[in-house]
Amino acid sequence: MADGPIAKLLEELARLPGVGPKTAQRYAFYLLNRPKEQAQALAGAILQAREQVHRCSVCLNLTDADPCAVCRAPGRDHGLVCVVEEPKDVAAMDKTHEYRGVYHVLHGAINPLRGIGPDDLGVRALLARLNDPAHPVREVILATDPDVEGDATALYLAKLLKPLGLRVSRIARGVPEGGDLDYVDEATLARALAGRSEW
Amino acid sequence: MADGPIAKLLEELARLPGVGPKTAQRYAFYLLNRPKEQAQALAGAILQAREQVHRCSVCLNLTDADPCAVCRAPGRDHGLVCVVEEPKDVAAMDKTHEYRGVYHVLHGAINPLRGIGPDDLGVRALLARLNDPAHPVREVILATDPDVEGDATALYLAKLLKPLGLRVSRIARGVPEGGDLDYVDEATLARALAGRSEW
């Protein structure tokens, strides 16, 4: 058990986020008990993704092509840019099938406690993109997370972008679809009240 | 996001036990955001473990040497064999630092519902081992899991091994160390009562 290759595998698996020794053990013995091809497929997928995936030069999303599939899509509205924190937010947004614009991925949010400022995020690339006369942008939707860091980032970007003469918007805050009102936390309910619309 | 290498990586990660699409995404973006060396180290550890790790010819535990480190250890009592279901049970048992005998790994338990019988487990190898006059075994400790399948397996092995003239024992059942008695389930408490020892 404390043998070399198993210990090494346990160690590497335990580096994954949220994976402790028990989960690493579970994954390791699963990989050791499955057909060899499956373990090789996982290792190959990791290597290939790490080799081929990089940031899109336009929107900074992770992609294996450049520009990425979204930035290349002719059916997309390139005058509408949705700013998100992480690549997974692009996936979440696209799953709605409601949004037909393009994206810009910041790869994080402003977080003074962790020493993350605008220069550590994809802000400069966003400005360069908005200033490019070849691709005029009409509106920027700020879709950073609805938490302190996401709000700070949205506020910062709004101040920075409004002078450029663009429409700048923030996604709506309120009660989520479905579920019970009495399970919604007070902060969300207060936001939903403050942001009520006339019917 | 639906791009080739990322989708492939998500698919392979989601095959791990207990990993759904969200966790796969978390692992994937973690691996893509870390230094390339870390992703390569994980892929390498998977490949190396799958290449070098096999079953010990004596005890069937997973190892990269043959016989495994435990079966080779001169300080171990080779006349005492602890039968467990899985390699991870060997690790758990060895962590106690109380047990100085050797092991035998069945790689499962008898489970008629899943069609797993004694022939699918390491029972034949255990018998061959116990019948080997070069390595006399004094006692077999049945340490299969304390559940229905583990008990059935222990019962089956006890019936099989007792005629060989060995001492056959089963690990004790009762309340676990530490914690509150009122949090212990009824079945465990009933077992602890029935198995009480005079003081």
Side-chain angles (χ1 to χ4, degrees):
Chain A
M1 268 307 302
D3 285 343
I6 301 182
K8 179 75 185 147
L9 178 58
L10 289 173
E11 188 192 314
E12 291 298 336
L13 285 170
R15 284 172 193 263
L16 290 171
V19 174
K22 277 278 170 200
T23 309
Q25 208 176 50
R26 197 171 165 210
Y27 292 168
F29 286 122
Y30 176 85
L31 288 169
L32 290 171
N33 277 322
R34 293 272 111 182
K36 196 177 265 192
E37 292 69 36
Q38 189 177 332
Q40 286 167 341
L42 174 58
I46 293 170
L47 290 174
Q48 198 184 21
R50 209 61 190 77
E51 198 60 53
Q52 297 182 359
V53 174
H54 50 83
R55 292 184 178 187
C56 169
S57 60
V58 179
C59 72
L60 305 189
N61 194 12
L62 294 175
T63 174
D64 62 332
D66 198 22
C68 72
V70 171
C71 288
R72 267 183 291 128
R76 292 260 180 179
D77 179 354
H78 290 259
L80 185 62
V81 175
C82 177
V83 178
V84 295
E85 291 183 18
E86 303 290 347
K88 60 177 185 266
D89 300 330
V90 172
M93 198 64 92
D94 245 29
K95 250 187 239 157
T96 65
H97 298 294
E98 289 288 327
Y99 182 69
R100 299 303 301 161
V102 292
Y103 296 95
H104 192 86
V105 181
L106 295 174
H107 289 279
I110 293 173
N111 190 333
L113 286 178
R114 291 193 186 172
I116 300 169
D119 288 344
D120 305 306
L121 306 172
V123 173
R124 207 168 302 182
L126 177 62
L127 280 180
R129 183 177 177 185
L130 297 178
N131 283 321
D132 180 3
H135 301 89
V137 172
R138 203 168 65 249
E139 177 176 351
V140 172
I141 303 174
L142 301 172
T144 49
D145 285 349
D147 55 15
V148 178
E149 291 81 18
D151 279 340
T153 310
L155 205 66
Y156 173 86
L157 288 176
K159 278 190 184 165
L160 197 70
L161 302 183
K162 271 191 180 163
L164 302 180
L166 304 155
R167 206 181 147 199
V168 178
S169 60
R170 178 94 172 103
I171 50 167
R173 306 282 273 268
V175 293
E177 291 298 307
D180 273 330
L181 207 66
D182 58 335
Y183 279 93
V184 174
D185 65 286
E186 300 112 78
T188 300
L189 224 63
R191 276 277 196 171
L193 271 175
R196 68 190 179 277
S197 57
E198 212 163 323
W199 264 40
Chain B
M1 269 308 302
D3 284 342
I6 301 182
K8 178 75 183 146
L9 178 58
L10 289 173
E11 187 192 314
E12 291 298 336
L13 285 170
R15 284 172 192 264
L16 291 171
V19 174
K22 277 278 169 200
T23 309
Q25 208 177 49
R26 199 172 162 211
Y27 293 168
F29 286 122
Y30 177 84
L31 288 169
L32 290 170
N33 277 322
R34 292 272 111 181
K36 196 178 263 190
E37 292 69 36
Q38 189 177 333
Q40 286 167 340
L42 174 58
I46 293 171
L47 290 174
Q48 199 185 20
R50 209 62 190 75
E51 199 59 53
Q52 298 182 358
V53 174
H54 50 82
R55 293 183 180 188
C56 170
S57 61
V58 179
C59 73
L60 306 188
N61 194 12
L62 294 174
T63 174
D64 62 332
D66 197 22
C68 72
V70 171
C71 289
R72 268 183 292 128
R76 293 259 180 182
D77 179 356
H78 291 260
L80 185 61
V81 175
C82 178
V83 178
V84 296
E85 292 183 17
E86 302 290 347
K88 58 176 185 263
D89 301 330
V90 172
M93 199 64 91
D94 246 28
K95 251 187 237 158
T96 65
H97 299 294
E98 290 288 328
Y99 183 68
R100 299 304 301 164
V102 292
Y103 296 95
H104 192 85
V105 181
L106 295 175
H107 290 279
I110 293 173
N111 190 333
L113 287 176
R114 290 193 187 171
I116 300 170
D119 287 345
D120 306 305
L121 307 172
V123 174
R124 206 167 303 182
L126 177 63
L127 280 179
R129 183 177 177 185
L130 297 178
N131 283 321
D132 181 2
H135 300 91
V137 172
R138 203 169 64 249
E139 177 175 350
V140 171
I141 303 174
L142 301 171
T144 50
D145 286 348
D147 55 14
V148 179
E149 291 81 17
D151 279 339
T153 310
L155 205 64
Y156 173 85
L157 289 177
K159 279 191 185 167
L160 198 69
L161 302 182
K162 271 191 180 164
L164 301 181
L166 303 155
R167 206 182 147 198
V168 178
S169 59
R170 177 95 170 103
I171 50 167
R173 306 282 273 268
V175 293
E177 291 298 306
D180 273 329
L181 206 66
D182 58 335
Y183 279 94
V184 175
D185 65 287
E186 300 113 79
T188 300
L189 261 180
R191 276 277 196 173
L193 272 176
R196 67 191 179 278
S197 56
E198 213 162 321
W199 264 39

